Amino acid sequence: MKPTNTGGHDYYHKVVDCQWACPAHTPVPEYIRLIAGGRYSDAYMINWRSNVFPGILGRVCDRPCEPACRRGRIDKDPVAICRLKRVAADLKDDIAEYMPKVPKKNGKRVACIGAGPASLTVARDLAVQGYDVTIFDSGKAPGGMVRTQIPKFRLPDSVIDEECQYILDLGVNLRLNHWVKSLKSLVDDAQWDAVFVGTGAPRGRDADIPGRKEAASHIHIGIEWLANVAFGHVKTVSPRVIVLGGGNTAMDCCRSARRLGGTDVKVVVRSSFEEMKASPWEKEEAIHEQIPIINMHVPKEFVHDNGKLTGVKFEVVRAEYDSQGRRSLVPSGEPDVFLECDEVLVAIGQENAFPWIEKDIGLEFNKYGLPVLDKETFQSTVPKVFFGGDSAFGPKNIITAVAHGHAAAISIDLFCKGLRVDERPAPLYNLVSQKMGIHEWSYDNQVSEEGRKKVPMKSLEKTLTDIKLELELGFDPFMACSEAERCLNCDVETVFSPKVCIECDACTDICPTECISFTGNGEEEDLRGRLKAPAKNTEQALLVSDILKTGRVMVKDENICLHCGMCAERCPTGAWDMQKFTLHSAQAGMEVPRT
């Protein structure tokens, strides 16, 4: 193998698994250390720069960072990264003085359609660069589907209000109760230098099976029903409810139904429990609230008596997989199952809907009804129109919408400056030694033996009778500090200097995970197999040194390194050093490197 190129930002960024996995690349270990030190406002602002909505995401993020967490490889459970984010939001001081000052307007105007997380991120990033940004939304308050689709017992309105207001306070114009009827009118209007579309995926898929039309008054589309619950239009539900679908929307529907009076609420899914799209913790919470999940059942007919729904008939199926691992559902041969119910909530997916976009303006759509976009710049086939969030590539999650917003804001900034949108600014990064003495570091490198802390919750007796009562209490400062100390500081990198290495093997002797080996070089597959601890996870790179004096190379398996620093403490020549890697993703206004 050739020596590992650690000169750019990518190598060490990938070692910080949580930050790499986060679509917005939030510097997770950095803000966790600040929480451990009680510096909640500083931790909040690090989050605010990257993910814009720490209080919201600290409650309802899909947590792509947690499955990537290195702690989960040595313990059963990863660090509670998401809930620590909430700690920063809940315990921060007044952060007005931390917020950026609003500059003079630069003469450029941008229209954002939809007041969801993608548009709000675009508005925030561009407002601090002097752009005059106006957000149009048909609703009564900002937040988009974050406000209308997520139940209040998971995400109170007060949290949404606070974090939307931080963005509006930057001078962003918000026009509510305003339905944009024509994209062409905005594109043709010379006052708008660019247009961003962040309207989400507002149409729920229906279950078009026999009985649907006849029993229509008892069958509701999940996302529409949740919106009606959020705005107080729906305050009760029938006792017997079936929820069709296995995603997070289905989990929100069934849990909301329990709180609105449903005494017999079931979730019925066509897939297996393991293959359900809902996040694992969403399924756990539904089960905790005594909601059964029935798997491998495909709805076949809505059964009714002169329009009054009496139940749903299901076909029982099993999964078969072809040689490529593609699944197909086939009848199991068991008799159909009839489940009684009074109401059905259909939560089997969402779709984009663009009835307000004219077909003759040059904006191309693909076969799935999604706009044809550049995946890096989010620019459409109409140069001044950009998309982001669910409206760009289909339904995903809040943190992905934020990442889209950052990327689209960069493109809009470049476009308005007359520059190429595909020549992007690079992220800011550096490496700084943490050495405070011969064997002392400026970070706590002792590996905690604590297990993951469970977030305290209110009793079900209280929460199942009040749909607006927030279920989770959040960590107190003591629990937060204990959980934060489980972080392995993956951004503090083990940096090796081969020129001063004397190959004494002291580092290999003391390494608790045997992730360091001195061996003869070879092809990667061969080399991975003959390290002290075979490096089986090919997802994470090997750190391979230049040829040493004996002709061997130093090979370190980043996958199992604990970043404990014992190699650097033991090394007699200082060939190993612990250096903190900091990366801040590019945002609008940052300079584009010129060659």
Side-chain angles (χ1 to χ4, degrees):
M1 293 184 69
K2 293 181 179 179
T4 303
N5 178 14
T6 59
H9 68 273
D10 269 1
Y11 178 78
Y12 285 124
H13 187 190
K14 288 180 182 177
V15 175
V16 193
D17 301 87
C18 51
Q19 185 177 14
W20 181 261
C22 174
H25 299 317
T26 306
V28 174
E30 177 67 12
Y31 82 71
I32 286 179
R33 276 192 298 272
L34 291 171
I35 288 171
R39 296 171 57 185
Y40 307 117
S41 296
D42 291 331
Y44 184 89
M45 292 310 298
I46 284 178
N47 274 281
W48 189 79
R49 182 193 186 278
S50 297
N51 59 51
V52 186
F53 307 103
I56 293 172
L57 289 165
R59 290 166 166 81
V60 299
C61 187
D62 270 6
R63 316 181 199 178
C65 53
E66 292 191 15
C69 176
R70 189 179 303 269
R71 186 79 195 205
R73 298 175 209 164
I74 63 169
D75 286 348
K76 177 185 175 183
D77 298 310
V79 175
I81 298 169
C82 177
R83 293 317 187 243
L84 286 173
K85 196 189 320 288
R86 174 181 170 173
V87 169
D90 287 355
L91 301 183
K92 68 183 184 306
D93 298 317
D94 183 357
I95 57 171
E97 63 182 37
Y98 291 87
M99 289 294 170
K101 305 302 180 206
V102 182
K104 291 174 62 177
K105 300 298 182 185
N106 63 13
K108 300 291 185 181
R109 301 193 69 198
V110 177
C112 293
I113 307 172
S119 288
L120 289 166
T121 300
V122 169
R124 192 208 68 170
D125 286 4
L126 293 179
V128 297
Q129 298 303 319
Y131 286 85
D132 188 348
V133 183
T134 299
I135 301 176
F136 299 94
D137 194 272
S138 61
K140 297 179 180 179
M145 299 184 86
V146 170
R147 187 181 292 274
T148 62
Q149 305 307 312
I150 301 176
K152 306 311 172 191
F153 59 84
R154 293 182 59 210
L155 178 61
D157 277 338
S158 58
V159 179
I160 305 172
D161 293 340
E162 176 187 356
E163 298 200 316
C164 288
Q165 194 61 47
Y166 289 143
I167 295 169
L168 300 178
D169 288 344
L170 298 174
V172 173
N173 307 302
L174 177 63
R175 295 185 61 181
L176 297 171
N177 299 304
H178 186 104
W179 180 268
V180 175
K181 298 178 180 178
S182 165
L183 180 61
K184 187 176 188 297
S185 64
L186 292 178
V187 171
D188 292 344
D189 191 338
Q191 72 170 310
W192 303 115
D193 297 282
V195 178
F196 176 79
V197 180
T199 51
R203 184 170 62 195
R205 290 180 183 159
D206 207 342
D208 187 15
I209 59 176
R212 175 64 177 94
K213 292 180 181 179
E214 293 82 352
S217 60
H218 307 281
I219 302 167
H220 317 288
I221 302 300
I223 62 171
E224 297 174 4
W225 184 82
L226 285 171
N228 285 322
V229 171
F231 292 121
H233 304 317
V234 171
K235 297 181 180 179
T236 60
V237 73
S238 301
R240 300 178 301 174
V241 180
I242 286 177
V243 179
L244 301 179
N248 286 339
T249 299
M251 299 301 103
D252 286 339
C253 284
C254 70
R255 298 176 69 198
S256 295
R258 283 282 280 125
R259 286 160 171 79
L260 292 178
T263 54
D264 179 10
V265 180
K266 299 182 180 73
V267 176
V268 186
V269 193
R270 58 190 295 133
S271 70
S272 67
F273 185 83
E274 293 73 23
E275 292 176 310
M276 288 173 61
K277 293 183 179 179
S279 303
W281 48 90
E282 296 279 0
K283 294 187 286 186
E284 289 171 10
E285 289 173 1
I287 292 169
H288 177 63
E289 294 175 5
Q290 292 98 48
I291 299 170
I293 297 175
I294 301 170
N295 300 97
M296 307 306 290
H297 281 52
V298 175
K300 195 172 180 179
E301 179 186 359
F302 293 116
V303 181
H304 63 93
D305 181 7
N306 292 320
K308 178 177 174 56
L309 186 70
T310 59
V312 184
K313 184 185 292 185
F314 294 91
E315 180 180 41
V316 182
V317 297
R318 57 183 175 81
E320 287 187 354
Y321 299 87
D322 62 17
S323 57
Q324 279 76 44
R326 291 174 297 202
R327 186 195 71 174
S328 60
L329 298 176
V330 298
S332 67
E334 298 177 39
D336 291 343
V337 172
F338 175 73
L339 298 177
E340 295 181 346
C341 68
D342 307 301
E343 286 187 73
V344 171
L345 305 177
V346 182
I348 56 176
Q350 293 169 227
E351 298 174 328
N352 294 71
F354 302 106
W356 50 277
I357 297 181
E358 295 83 353
K359 305 299 182 185
D360 60 349
I361 63 173
L363 205 155
E364 296 179 20
F365 288 86
N366 63 22
K367 63 181 181 180
Y368 302 107
L370 296 170
V372 175
L373 305 174
D374 183 287
K375 291 187 177 181
E376 184 178 26
T377 68
F378 295 86
Q379 187 177 42
S380 73
T381 51
V382 176
K384 71 185 289 186
V385 178
F386 302 80
F387 285 72
D390 291 353
S391 65
F393 302 117
K396 196 68 175 174
N397 51 42
I398 301 170
I399 190 63
T400 298
V402 170
H404 288 184
H406 286 314
I410 291 172
S411 298
I412 293 170
D413 180 48
L414 295 172
F415 177 80
C416 290
K417 291 175 179 176
L419 301 173
R420 291 184 52 161
V421 297
D422 59 346
E423 293 185 358
R424 321 281 288 175
L428 301 173
Y429 71 96
N430 62 10
L431 274 168
V432 178
S433 176
Q434 300 302 287
K435 191 170 287 186
M436 300 287 286
I438 297 177
H439 297 310
E440 291 183 273
W441 314 106
S442 61
Y443 76 105
D444 181 7
N445 66 331
Q446 183 173 346
V447 177
S448 170
E449 300 297 327
E450 295 285 329
R452 178 173 167 131
K453 302 294 176 290
K454 290 187 177 181
V455 178
M457 296 186 181
K458 298 183 179 75
S459 68
L460 286 181
E461 289 78 14
K462 291 182 178 179
T463 59
L464 290 181
T465 58
D466 186 349
I467 196 161
K468 292 187 177 181
L469 182 64
E470 187 172 13
L471 174 62
E472 293 188 0
L473 294 168
F475 289 138
D476 63 29
F478 301 100
M479 293 183 73
C481 182
S482 180
E483 182 62 29
E485 289 180 344
R486 296 182 67 240
C487 176
L488 295 174
N489 301 295
C490 295
D491 60 338
V492 182
E493 309 285 357
T494 47
V495 178
F496 182 69
S497 301
K499 291 184 179 179
V500 295
C501 176
I502 59 173
E503 301 183 64
C504 65
D505 287 354
C507 54
T508 64
D509 292 339
I510 202 169
C511 176
T513 63
E514 298 188 328
C515 68
I516 301 171
S517 300
F518 288 83
T519 184
N521 208 338
E523 296 297 328
E524 182 172 352
E525 184 177 356
D526 164 60
L527 197 55
R528 282 182 175 273
R530 54 185 172 82
L531 302 179
K532 286 188 71 176
K536 297 179 181 179
N537 183 4
T538 56
E539 296 273 323
Q540 202 151 64
L542 298 176
L543 178 63
V544 181
S545 74
D546 280 314
I547 301 295
L548 300 169
K549 294 173 185 176
T550 63
R552 300 186 299 174
V553 289
M554 186 289 302
V555 184
K556 176 172 171 282
D557 180 9
E558 297 285 13
N559 183 57
I560 57 175
C561 176
L562 299 180
H563 297 245
C564 63
M566 294 180 72
C567 54
E569 292 180 6
R570 182 67 179 83
C571 180
T573 65
W576 289 102
D577 190 19
M578 305 304 294
Q579 298 185 12
K580 183 158 81 73
F581 172 78
T582 302
L583 181 139
H584 292 291
S585 295
Q587 292 188 3
M590 290 171 59
E591 186 175 349
V592 178
R594 299 299 174 194
T595 56

